Amino acid sequence: PLIKELFGLTELEEALRRHLGLRRVIIVSGDADQSQWVKKEMGRAGARLLREEARPGQVVAVAGGTTVAAVAEMMAPTPQLKETTFVPARGGLGEAVELEANYIASLMAKKTGGSYRLMHVPDQLSEETYRTVIREPHIREVLELLKTARIAVHGIGGAMEMAVRRKSSMELLRHLREKEAVGEAFGYYFNRQGEIVHRMKTVGIRLDDLQRMERIISVAGGASKADAIAAICSVACRDTLITDEGAARAILEKA
Ligand code: BG6
């Protein structure tokens, strides 16, 4: 409606930046719900940003999903990225292998000539196994490295879409519905107010860890993710959001 006629992309970026209280917003044209090509463009923008922001010797924490995978696909070597270590932000979250943070971190390293570390932690751990796993020297080493990350790159998903994609139990689906979860990032599910209503048990980054990082690059688009992005950006993003016109307009129209 009104918003559509009023704003060009640059104005839209500024309006959304202010609305979400972020440092920077980058919007690509189109809507990822409508075309795969738009996700590629978000990937290109993410890859460009990583190239510009990279410092030699840095650690980059990488989350999973198709959008962060699109960023990885667009990456290329630079002297700084060659001296970057890519580390999965969290252990297994029940995703298909090619959408796992582990795989995407290794893909970024492959594309840039950088290095990577893996965190082979199964999902759905019992409390006891979980405690044992995080004491493993190999896992502890990667977790220590993760604590020094300068940049995090992550996606945002719709809560129900992510729960279904992870083949979650009926019980969890019911819980998320009851708690009116709208979005998910890093294995945390949020309601519209940005409150955590469920967290998946795996090792890796906690939301508090994000506070220490210099850059948090959130990449998510498509009008269907509007509520998820709005909810999560109020708590977890704070830095840079790369999104598309479809999501941006939908967020501002609902505001
Ligand atoms: C998952 C991440 O792999 O991807 C989630 O663990 C994120 O935190 C999701 O929400 C986003 O997926 P996509 O495919 O919509 O980019």
Side-chain angles (χ1 to χ4, degrees):
L2 195 55
I3 278 171
K4 269 206 177 84
E5 291 130 39
L6 270 180
F7 294 116
L9 281 191
T10 314
E11 290 160 293
L12 205 56
E13 282 172 345
E14 179 53 20
L16 190 62
R17 190 193 67 75
R18 278 211 217 160
H19 175 67
L20 297 174
L22 301 176
R23 191 181 64 87
R24 186 171 179 197
V25 168
I26 299 169
I27 300 177
V28 307
S29 54
D31 184 328
D33 290 345
Q34 314 290 335
S35 131
Q36 269 299 107
W37 186 79
V38 177
K39 195 175 280 182
K40 288 204 171 108
E41 284 307 308
M42 285 191 283
R44 198 188 303 279
R48 188 184 310 127
L49 190 64
L50 274 170
R51 190 176 63 226
E52 288 166 4
E53 297 281 352
R55 304 278 178 277
Q58 67 178 1
V59 172
V60 174
V62 182
T66 57
T67 321
V68 180
V71 175
E73 288 293 348
M74 294 294 178
M75 290 174 75
T78 68
Q80 289 81 4
L81 288 172
K82 274 185 189 163
E83 285 183 48
T84 294
T85 307
F86 297 92
V87 182
R90 303 215 63 191
L93 289 173
E95 295 269 20
V97 169
E98 63 283 6
L99 299 184
E100 260 185 24
N102 265 319
Y103 173 75
I104 297 174
S106 74
L107 184 61
M108 285 190 179
K110 188 175 144 200
K111 294 275 182 185
T112 58
S115 42
Y116 68 96
R117 302 300 301 272
L118 294 181
M119 201 157 52
H120 287 300
V121 182
D123 36 65
Q124 320 280 0
L125 294 178
S126 70
E127 192 63 41
E128 201 191 336
T129 323
Y130 173 79
R131 288 216 199 93
T132 316
V133 163
I134 56 171
R135 283 202 301 267
E136 277 293 313
H138 167 77
I139 301 290
R140 274 172 65 165
E141 205 188 309
V142 182
L143 288 175
E144 286 303 313
L145 201 58
L146 207 46
K147 283 203 189 116
T148 68
R150 212 188 129 236
I151 302 183
V153 191
H154 75 96
I156 295 170
M160 285 306 161
E161 287 80 356
M162 286 310 300
V164 169
R165 191 162 104 187
R166 289 169 172 155
K167 303 193 171 54
S168 308
S169 66
M170 286 308 285
E171 200 187 329
L172 178 56
L173 292 176
R174 203 173 308 124
H175 173 80
L176 293 174
R177 206 168 294 130
E178 262 167 28
K179 295 286 177 189
E180 299 179 342
V182 294
E184 186 278 350
F186 296 110
Y188 293 81
Y189 289 84
F190 299 84
N191 65 14
R192 210 173 282 280
Q193 288 72 46
E195 295 156 349
I196 298 168
V197 296
H198 177 74
R199 75 175 61 166
M200 293 187 70
K201 190 174 285 162
T202 187
V203 301
I205 279 187
R206 309 230 178 137
L207 285 186
D208 309 342
D209 298 329
L210 295 175
Q211 300 304 325
R212 278 199 311 269
M213 297 196 190
E214 245 176 271
R215 287 281 168 268
I216 303 169
I217 305 177
S218 315
V219 207
S224 62
K225 284 191 184 178
D227 289 345
I229 295 170
I232 284 160
C233 281
S234 64
V235 277
C237 305
R238 89 172 157 79
D239 189 59
T240 305
L241 170 69
I242 298 175
T243 188
D244 62 16
E245 230 184 311
R249 293 191 193 282
I251 293 168
L252 291 171
E253 269 164 25
K254 287 181 187 185

